[in-house]
Amino acid sequence: MTYDDYLAGEPVIVTAALTGGVHGKEANPNLPETPEEIGRAAAAAEAAGASVVHLHARRPNGERSFSTERFQAVTDAVREQADDVIVQHSTGGTGAPDDVRHQPLRTDPPPEMASLDMGPLNRYEHLTSENTRALVDSLLAEMHDRGIKPELEVFNDGHLNEVRGLLERADLADPAYATLIFGGGTLTPPRPGNLLNAVRNLPDGAAFNTLGFGRHQLPFATLGVLLGGHVRVGLEDNVYRDRGELAESNAQLVERVATVAETLGRPVASPAEAREILGL
């Protein structure tokens, strides 16, 4: 994926990360937490232009849950309320035992995609996620067995080495799909040049998704569109519409980036087009 893909007007896949597992309604009361709220948010995001929804599950008290049962409830609500959106489950987490990290993969039917963190990372004061190679390989093996496409989450430049190593020791269906993530902590600093370098260092033939946390969401999505990549937005990663103005919904953030993409000459991919692009 290159600038030539932008010039050719290749469709852009918009992923909506609806809820996350860290902040809740205390950060933005419009953030969905229950399965029903997440289902409605998925349907609205799809109508606004999202072809993929990145899902987390929460306990009834709003805390994050990895359990298959809770993911099943969320997925069922999404499939009931949305039309044809691609379901992508999160397997990322901080402090969760390795076996628990597998549980989001075990819904019936399985998700079409699932996230796969490519290495250790620190965010905030007390949150660390180890993501050892052994865990990465075990999650990938279960994804392969269940027909789930991995979304390789790249939080810093060292994780690009991990992507290359993973491709050397495992067979991934083409195209490899990496989300390039920019923010604080041990993430790559959110500077445009760093995105350019990350794109240059991707393995040949890989497709990429662009994610900037917080105020960097819109500019990095715009850069991703211009570089021929795909984009992720949503209340998991950014709870604001503008400085000091909370976002009204995930759909509002999706609609904004869809307008940017179309203004720049790239149509927004439908779920069917996204499946073709991603090889699902």
Side-chain angles (χ1 to χ4, degrees):
M1 298 176 66
T2 66
Y3 182 61
D4 288 340
D5 293 303
Y6 159 70
L7 294 174
E10 293 294 321
V12 59
I13 298 168
V14 178
T15 295
L18 302 177
T19 186
V22 179
H23 53 266
K25 291 183 182 294
E26 79 286 347
N28 184 328
N30 300 315
L31 185 141
E33 290 185 346
T34 68
E36 292 73 19
E37 288 174 340
I38 295 170
R40 289 195 297 271
E46 182 183 22
S51 52
V52 180
V53 288
H54 177 79
L55 301 179
H56 292 248
R58 292 174 179 257
R59 299 184 178 94
N61 65 0
E63 294 180 357
R64 181 169 188 181
S65 172
F66 290 87
S67 79
T68 301
E69 179 182 11
R70 295 300 295 179
F71 267 91
Q72 187 72 58
V74 170
T75 297
D76 288 348
V78 169
R79 295 189 186 281
E80 178 179 344
Q81 299 191 55
D83 183 21
D84 191 36
V85 72
I86 296 167
V87 170
Q88 179 188 99
H89 285 179
S90 171
T91 68
T94 52
D98 287 4
D99 61 327
V100 171
R101 298 275 293 276
H102 281 258
Q103 292 183 22
L105 303 176
R106 297 172 180 170
T107 56
D108 182 20
E112 291 181 78
M113 302 181 72
S115 66
L116 184 61
D117 293 357
M118 294 309 300
L121 63 113
N122 291 334
R123 287 185 65 202
Y124 310 110
E125 187 174 353
H126 301 294
L127 293 179
T128 296
S129 189
E130 292 184 348
N131 299 314
T132 64
R133 287 178 186 163
L135 173 60
V136 170
D137 287 351
S138 68
L139 287 168
L140 181 63
E142 182 157 353
M143 290 182 197
H144 182 270
D145 290 344
R146 305 212 75 207
I148 301 168
K149 185 177 184 71
E151 176 246 354
L152 310 177
E153 298 214 339
V154 175
F155 291 90
N156 55 52
D157 288 350
H159 291 178
L160 290 168
N161 291 332
E162 295 299 316
V163 170
R164 291 182 177 276
L166 186 68
L167 294 176
E168 289 175 358
R169 65 183 186 268
D171 290 327
L172 271 68
D174 291 333
Y177 189 56
T179 296
L180 306 176
I181 304 171
F182 301 85
T186 51
L187 280 62
T188 301
R191 299 291 182 268
N194 290 337
L195 174 57
L196 289 169
N197 287 331
V199 172
R200 291 190 191 103
N201 286 313
L202 282 168
D204 291 342
F208 72 92
N209 191 29
T210 312
L211 164 57
F213 280 124
R215 64 184 298 188
H216 307 289
Q217 185 171 93
L218 181 60
F220 270 74
T222 302
L223 288 168
V225 170
L226 288 170
L227 294 174
H230 305 293
V231 301
R232 170 172 144 174
V233 298
L235 293 176
E236 173 180 356
D237 309 318
N238 168 41
V239 297
Y240 291 95
R241 168 63 172 76
D242 288 307
R243 186 187 295 270
E245 177 189 340
L246 292 174
E248 296 176 1
S249 64
N250 284 285
Q252 183 186 49
L253 299 176
V254 171
E255 183 177 14
R256 178 172 65 171
V257 78
T259 299
V260 168
E262 290 168 349
T263 300
L264 292 173
R266 288 188 67 189
V268 174
S270 68
E273 290 171 324
R275 290 185 177 92
E276 183 176 357
I277 292 167
L278 296 171
L280 299 180

